[in-house]
Amino acid sequence: MNIFSQSATVILKCSVLRTISLDPWNWFSIECISNEDVDDGDTVTDFMAQERERGITIQSAAVTFDWKGYRVNLIDTPGHVDFTLEVERCLRVLDGAVAVFDASAGVEAQTLTVWRQADKYKIPRICFLNKMDKTGASFNYAVESIREKLKAKPLLLQLPIGEAKTFKGVVDVVSKEKLLWNSSSVDGKDFERKPLLEMSDPKLLKETTEARNALIEQVADLDDEFADLVLGEFSENFDLIPAEKLQTAIHRVTLAQTAVPVLCGSALKNKGVQPLLDAITMYLPSPEERNYEFLQWYKDDLCALAFKVLHDKQRGPLVFLRIYSGLIKPQLAIHNINGNCTERISRLLLPFADQHVEIPSLTAGNIALTVGLKHTATGDTIVSSKSSALAAARRAGREGGKKHGQNSEAERLLLAGVEIPEPVFFCTIEPPSVAKQPDLDHALKCLQREDPSLKVRLDPDSGQTVLCGMGELHIEIIHDRIKREYGLETYLGPLQVAYRETILNSVCASDTLDRTLGDKRHLVTVELEAKPIETSSVMPVIEYAEGVSEDILKASQEAIENGIHSACLQGPLLGSPIQDVAITLHSLIIHPGTSSTMISACVSRCVQKVLKKADKQVLEPLMNLEVTVTRDYLSPVLADLAQRRGNIQEIQTRQDNRVVIGFVPLAEIMGYSTVLRTLTSGSATFAVELSHYQAMNPQDQSTLLNRRSGLT
C-alpha cells in the first residue's frame, strides 16, 4: 500500500491503525513512489521474511518522505493482537493517526483495541475506508459501524462512486468535485478531477449537495467560530461557503477530537490515496499544533523519546527517537534520564523501512534513527545533558507545586514510558546442543530488547529456558527469527497457558529462621496474614499492622517486600504467579546483625507457608472472541464453541455474514484457526484478545491439576 503524507505523526492500518508523522520542514527529499503492495508480498514497510510470507505486519516500520511541501514520518504498525505492543509504543510518539478499515467489515475486534489506545494518548484521527472495490464493500455500513461501535462522529468528506466491482472513484464533498481513476492505471497515478455539473451528473450532484449541507451543519454544531460564520454571512445559501473556510473548521474539529473525517478508496491500485494524503496535511496536526506540556520545561533543549529498538548485526542497536524539542547531530553526547547514563550518538539516520539514509542533523517534530546508544531501551527519555534534565525537573517541580502541590505528574511526563502487557502463553526453548546455549541467550537478549512484550525466564526446577509471549503467532515468529537471523535450530516445548492463582480465605502463619554463618547468628521471627481482595491486583498488596516497629520497618522494609514479592511469583498449586492477595505483616523480630537476605528468606518462607494453608483457586485467562462466519456454517461453529466452554454474548449480522461474539478460555482455543478452517471450508475468520482472568470451576481445576501432576 503506497501511503504518503505531510509531517506531524499519523497511524494507518487495515482494520486498525498505521502511523505517520507530519512537520512543516522540507529540506530533504526521498523518492518513495513504489509499486510494491501487500497482495504481491513486497510492501516497502513489510520487509521481514515472515511478514512477506504471511502478508501481515509484525514489526512497526518507519518511512520518511515529502508530500506537497510537507515532511512526513510514516510508521506502519501491526494489526494482529499478538503484536499490540508495537502499536502502543508507536502511538506514544504520534501527532495524528489514520485508521484504515475494511469497507466490507467495518469496525472489527482489534479495531476497538487500537481505537482505545489512540483515545488513551489523545491522538486526532482520520478514518479511511479501504477495499471499496472488494465484493461486499458497503460505505454506509462501515460508516454506521464507526458511529455505533466506536461512538465517534463521522464527518463524510467523500462519497464513493460505485461500490465493489463498480467502484471507480470518489466525490469530494467539500469542493463538490469528482475524482475518477483510469481503469487501466496500475499504480493509481492516472486520475482526473472534474467539477460536478447539473447537466452531466444531476443525481450525483444532488447527493453531494445534501451531503455537503449535512457536513456543514455537523461542523457548525461542533465549532462555534464556524457556526457564527454560517449563521452570519451564509445562512441563506450554504453553497456559497468557501471550501477553505469549511476545511479550516474541519481541521479545528479534528484537533479537538470531537469528530473524525471519513474518506474512502482502494489501496490495491492506489485509488483515493492522493486525496487521503491531502487530507492528512490539511486536517491532522503538525508538531507545532500538538500541546505537549513538558516542552515548556525544556525550552529549546533536546527532549526526545526512545520508542523502539532494533538490533542490526553490523551497526549494533538502532534506536528510534521521536524528537520533541532541540536538535540531534552525530557525535552528540546525550543523557538518558531513565537509565541515568550518558551515551554518544555515533551516526544519525533517516528511516526508510529497512533502508536508511545518513544525515547531518535532525530537528524537532521528526523521527530519527540513531546508532551507538547501547543502553537505551523502549520508553527512555533522552535529553542533552544531566544538567538539562535537572533544570527541567526544577521547572516541572515548581509548576507541579503550583498546580498539584506535588511533582508526581511532572515526574511521570519526564519519565514517559510504555505499559508492557503481561504474556499469556509460554513454552520451553532449547538449543541444539549445550555448546549453543550462549548463542541462544544472546539471541534472546537481542530479541527482548527489540520486543519488550517477550519475556524470558529460567525454570528453577528443570533449568530450562522459558519463552513467554502474547500468543501462538508471537512465539512462532520469535522461533522463526532465531532460526533465520541467528542461525540456531532451536526446539520448542508444547505451548502452555499462563495461569494464575489466588486464595479464597484469610489465613495466618508464623515462621522463624535461625542460622549461624561463621561467627554471626541470623535470627528472624515473622508473623503475617494473607487474605483475598476484591479488586484485581497482579502484585500483592502489602500492609503493616500497628504493632510493627517503625524503626524495624525503616531498616528492613525493602527486604520484607522483596521476600513477599518473590514468594508470590510461584503459587502452591501450579507454580503460577499469585494475584488478588493482600499480605499483612503483624510481627517481625530481628536479632541484631541479621542480614537483609535472611530477613527476605524468612518472610518469603512464611508467605509460602500461609499460601499453602489457605483454600486455593486457579485463575485462567479468558479471551474475547469474535468469529465472522457465513450463515451456512453458523451451527457447527456454535456447537464447537460450546464444547470449548465458550460463553456466547451475541450474534450480529454483518452484510451476508454472522459475527459471533463471546468469551472462551485461552486453553480451549489453542490451534483453533485450523479447526475453524476445517469446519467452514476456510470461509470464516476470527480474532481474540485477552479480556481478564477468571476462576476455574472445581471440575476443570481438578482435571488441570491431575494432568499437570501426571495422573491423567
Side-chain angles (χ1 to χ4, degrees):
M1 182 158 129
N2 299 331
I3 296 242
F4 322 109
S5 96
Q6 174 185 324
S7 205
T9 314
V10 189
I11 275 200
L12 302 140
K13 188 67 189 186
C14 253
S15 86
V16 205
L17 299 170
R18 271 183 204 199
T19 335
I20 292 175
S21 154
L22 317 139
D23 54 13
W25 293 285
N26 183 17
W27 48 268
F28 189 90
S29 179
I30 291 181
E31 180 61 43
C32 59
I33 301 290
S34 67
N35 294 319
E36 289 101 359
D37 60 52
V38 172
D39 300 82
D40 293 337
D42 55 3
T43 318
V44 170
T45 53
D46 292 343
F47 54 82
M48 287 173 62
Q50 295 91 336
E51 292 177 316
R52 295 194 166 183
E53 285 171 4
R54 289 172 170 81
I56 62 170
T57 302
I58 292 167
Q59 279 194 341
S60 55
V63 173
T64 299
F65 56 87
D66 298 321
W67 179 258
K68 296 187 177 179
Y70 292 94
R71 163 56 47 83
V72 184
N73 296 302
L74 177 147
I75 304 176
D76 174 24
T77 62
H80 197 284
V81 65
D82 284 13
F83 309 107
T84 191
L85 178 70
E86 284 289 314
V87 182
E88 179 88 14
R89 61 181 175 180
C90 291
L91 278 166
R92 178 67 187 81
V93 300
L94 298 187
D95 295 327
V98 178
V100 184
F101 299 82
D102 183 335
S104 66
V107 174
E108 297 178 79
Q110 184 65 359
T111 318
L112 287 163
T113 302
V114 183
W115 196 268
R116 286 193 294 266
Q117 288 175 312
D119 283 339
K120 175 181 170 183
Y121 293 106
K122 298 181 173 60
I123 309 293
R125 271 147 277 177
I126 285 176
C127 294
F128 181 71
L129 306 183
N130 190 25
K131 304 185 183 181
M132 283 301 303
D133 54 355
K134 181 181 175 182
T135 302
S138 171
F139 181 80
N140 291 334
Y141 170 79
V143 170
E144 194 56 34
S145 73
I146 291 170
R147 184 180 286 112
E148 291 296 319
K149 294 184 179 180
L150 301 179
K151 308 301 179 191
K153 293 180 180 177
L155 302 176
L156 305 188
L157 306 190
Q158 289 179 349
L159 298 175
I161 301 175
E163 288 181 347
K165 290 181 180 178
T166 62
F167 178 72
K168 56 183 179 181
V170 298
V171 173
D172 187 330
V173 172
V174 176
S175 64
K176 294 168 76 170
E177 294 174 319
K178 64 179 180 180
L179 286 77
L180 297 173
W181 273 262
N182 189 328
S183 57
S184 61
S185 175
V186 178
D187 57 11
K189 292 180 187 176
D190 187 10
F191 71 98
E192 56 182 348
R193 183 187 287 265
K194 293 179 179 177
L196 287 172
L197 301 173
E198 182 71 44
M199 291 179 64
S200 55
D201 302 292
K203 187 179 177 183
L204 197 55
L205 179 61
K206 184 184 177 186
E207 285 179 20
T208 306
T209 302
E210 289 173 357
R212 190 175 192 268
N213 290 343
L215 175 65
I216 288 168
E217 289 174 6
Q218 260 188 298
V219 175
D221 285 341
L222 299 168
D223 185 80
D224 291 341
E225 186 179 333
F226 185 67
D228 292 340
L229 183 74
V230 170
L231 294 172
E233 293 180 53
F234 306 104
S235 57
E236 299 298 322
N237 189 352
F238 285 177
D239 289 343
L240 298 176
I241 296 175
E244 295 77 18
K245 297 284 186 184
L246 181 54
Q247 288 163 350
T248 304
I250 293 169
H251 176 70
R252 288 196 298 267
V253 167
T254 306
L255 263 59
Q257 296 167 59
T258 50
V260 286
V262 176
L263 299 96
C264 63
S266 170
L268 176 61
K269 293 185 178 178
N270 290 327
K271 293 179 180 179
V273 171
Q274 295 92 334
L276 171 62
L277 295 174
D278 292 337
I280 287 168
T281 62
M282 208 176 294
Y283 303 124
L284 288 178
S286 75
E288 294 173 337
E289 292 176 300
R290 287 284 277 164
N291 182 26
Y292 297 108
E293 188 182 1
F294 56 85
L295 288 184
Q296 62 183 317
W297 306 329
Y298 287 101
K299 306 296 184 185
D300 294 324
D301 283 348
L302 173 66
C303 176
L305 182 74
F307 68 94
K308 183 177 172 66
V309 179
L310 282 179
H311 187 80
D312 185 276
K313 288 183 179 179
Q314 279 74 41
R315 300 185 181 111
L318 303 177
V319 180
F320 285 84
L321 298 178
R322 163 66 200 265
I323 309 169
Y324 288 101
S325 64
L327 180 78
I328 283 185
K329 293 180 178 180
Q331 304 305 319
L332 179 72
I334 55 93
H335 180 70
N336 182 331
I337 295 181
N338 300 60
N340 193 25
C341 62
T342 298
E343 299 187 85
R344 187 174 294 278
I345 296 171
S346 58
R347 296 169 67 193
L348 188 64
L349 308 170
L350 205 59
F352 186 67
D354 59 339
Q355 304 296 318
H356 313 303
V357 181
E358 195 156 351
I359 50 172
S361 65
L362 211 53
T363 52
N366 280 286
I367 287 175
L369 189 57
T370 60
V371 181
L373 303 182
K374 293 187 171 64
H375 304 290
T376 301
T378 296
D380 286 355
T381 304
I382 303 300
V383 295
S384 56
S385 64
K386 193 167 186 176
S387 59
S388 170
L390 291 171
R394 281 194 297 271
R395 294 187 199 107
R398 287 197 295 271
E399 191 69 23
K402 290 175 191 173
K403 290 185 179 179
H404 312 290
Q406 56 182 7
N407 64 355
S408 60
E409 180 71 11
E411 190 174 321
R412 185 183 71 81
L413 286 167
L414 280 167
L415 305 175
V418 179
E419 290 182 22
I420 312 293
E422 288 294 317
V424 291
F425 271 116
F426 67 94
C427 67
T428 57
I429 183 168
E430 294 181 5
S433 65
V434 177
K436 294 289 184 180
Q437 184 66 48
D439 295 336
L440 176 60
D441 293 340
H442 171 71
L444 290 174
K445 186 179 179 183
C446 293
L447 290 170
Q448 269 188 288
R449 193 171 178 203
E450 285 187 26
D451 180 4
S453 65
L454 172 68
K455 304 287 175 65
V456 179
R457 61 180 173 84
L458 199 66
D459 188 293
D461 298 323
S462 65
Q464 291 177 297
T465 303
V466 179
L467 279 185
C468 307
M470 301 307 299
E472 291 178 86
L473 181 62
H474 187 202
I475 288 178
E476 184 186 331
I477 294 295
I478 293 297
H479 184 223
D480 195 36
R481 288 189 66 190
I482 290 170
K483 178 182 176 181
R484 294 190 195 220
E485 296 174 25
Y486 298 92
L488 288 172
E489 283 280 359
T490 54
Y491 305 105
L492 289 183
L495 277 176
Q496 298 186 52
V497 175
Y499 293 101
R500 293 190 186 156
E501 300 176 30
T502 191
I503 59 173
L504 302 174
N505 60 328
S506 297
V507 180
C508 291
S510 60
D511 198 3
T512 299
L513 186 147
D514 189 354
R515 295 266 175 88
T516 302
L517 299 176
D519 58 351
K520 186 178 283 189
R521 187 185 183 194
H522 302 269
L523 176 61
V524 188
T525 301
V526 179
E527 183 184 339
L528 50 78
E529 176 189 10
K531 59 186 177 185
I533 55 173
E534 292 183 6
T535 54
S536 180
S537 174
V538 177
M539 304 295 287
V541 177
I542 301 172
E543 300 168 344
Y544 299 95
E546 291 182 5
V548 180
S549 164
E550 285 190 16
D551 293 336
I552 289 178
L553 268 185
K554 200 172 185 180
S556 309
Q557 186 170 355
E558 186 178 347
I560 294 165
E561 294 185 359
N562 285 342
I564 293 172
H565 286 303
S566 65
C568 289
L569 289 175
Q570 288 190 303
L573 289 175
L574 297 170
S576 300
I578 297 287
Q579 72 170 44
D580 306 339
V581 169
I583 306 291
T584 304
L585 184 70
H586 287 290
S587 171
L588 179 65
I589 301 169
I590 303 173
H591 187 273
T594 300
S595 71
S596 59
T597 306
M598 292 297 177
I599 297 169
S600 287
C602 184
V603 170
S604 180
R605 197 167 71 179
C606 191
V607 172
Q608 289 171 348
K609 184 189 289 188
V610 80
L611 292 175
K612 284 178 183 175
K613 285 174 67 178
D615 295 332
K616 296 165 281 290
Q617 172 71 59
V618 175
L619 304 175
E620 65 176 345
L622 195 68
M623 310 300 285
N624 283 323
L625 174 71
E626 185 177 294
V627 183
T628 305
V629 60
T630 59
R631 189 186 307 174
D632 299 340
Y633 294 109
L634 180 61
S635 294
V637 166
L638 292 175
D640 179 67
L641 288 175
Q643 291 181 339
R644 295 172 183 273
R645 297 191 283 135
N647 179 8
I648 307 303
Q649 299 295 301
E650 62 176 319
I651 300 174
Q652 299 176 350
T653 300
R654 180 185 289 169
Q655 312 279 38
D656 297 329
N657 295 326
R658 298 292 179 267
V659 181
V660 181
I661 296 172
F663 298 107
V664 182
L666 177 59
E668 301 292 343
I669 56 170
M670 285 202 276
Y672 182 60
S673 57
T674 305
V675 174
L676 188 64
R677 273 198 301 270
T678 306
L679 282 174
T680 64
S681 302
S683 62
T685 60
F686 79 102
V688 290
E689 67 172 334
L690 179 65
S691 172
H692 61 279
Y693 274 79
Q694 74 165 12
M696 294 185 79
N697 67 50
Q699 185 180 348
D700 293 330
Q701 179 169 316
S702 177
T703 303
L704 173 66
L705 294 175
N706 287 336
R707 190 167 66 244
R708 285 291 182 93
S709 60
L711 296 176
T712 57

